């Protein structure tokens, strides 16, 4: 994860190497955000192939939602996938 100096923007990279029995349990607590700011979460590496398989589109249920920096640092985001050998890139903007 990379956060700019002002804490207004961040990029998070997530990788699923092996998904056992289709489980997704990779909740990640973010660091370096401003607790008082609200961030919009957007998955930015979505293609027609997506994370969930051909033609399935976006794979992140939180995409397009907003969370406070405090929530993202204390609770985090689920970045896991049920598909092995996949990756995601999330952009967080205030």
């Amino acid at each position: 994860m990379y956060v700019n100096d002002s804490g207004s923007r961040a990029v998070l990279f997530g990788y699923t190497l092996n998904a056992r029995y289709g489980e997704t349990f990779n909740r990640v607590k973010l660091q370096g955000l401003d607790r008082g700011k609200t961030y919009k979460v957007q998955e930015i590496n979505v293609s027609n192939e997506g994370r969930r398989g051909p033609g399935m589109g976006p794979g992140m249920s939180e995409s397009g939602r907003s969370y406070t920096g405090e929530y993202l640092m204390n609770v985090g985001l689920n970045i896991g996938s049920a598909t092995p050998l996949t990756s995601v890139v999330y952009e967080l903007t205030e």
Side-chain angles (χ1 to χ4, degrees), residues 2-66:
Y2 297 94
V3 181
N4 69 354
D5 291 337
S6 66
S8 63
R9 193 170 194 179
V11 177
L12 174 66
F13 300 90
Y15 305 94
T16 300
L17 300 178
N18 184 21
R20 294 179 57 178
Y21 309 111
E23 296 178 42
T24 58
F25 49 87
N26 296 328
R27 186 161 287 277
V28 173
K29 294 179 183 179
L30 309 184
Q31 297 179 5
L33 301 176
D34 186 323
R35 292 185 183 282
K37 292 183 179 179
T38 300
Y39 295 90
K40 182 176 181 182
V41 178
Q42 194 68 42
E43 188 173 354
I44 59 174
N45 68 326
V46 178
S47 68
N48 286 338
E49 296 301 311
R51 290 193 304 153
R52 301 181 327 193
M56 299 285 294
M60 180 184 169
S61 63
E62 287 105 349
S63 188
R65 295 187 183 178
S66 295

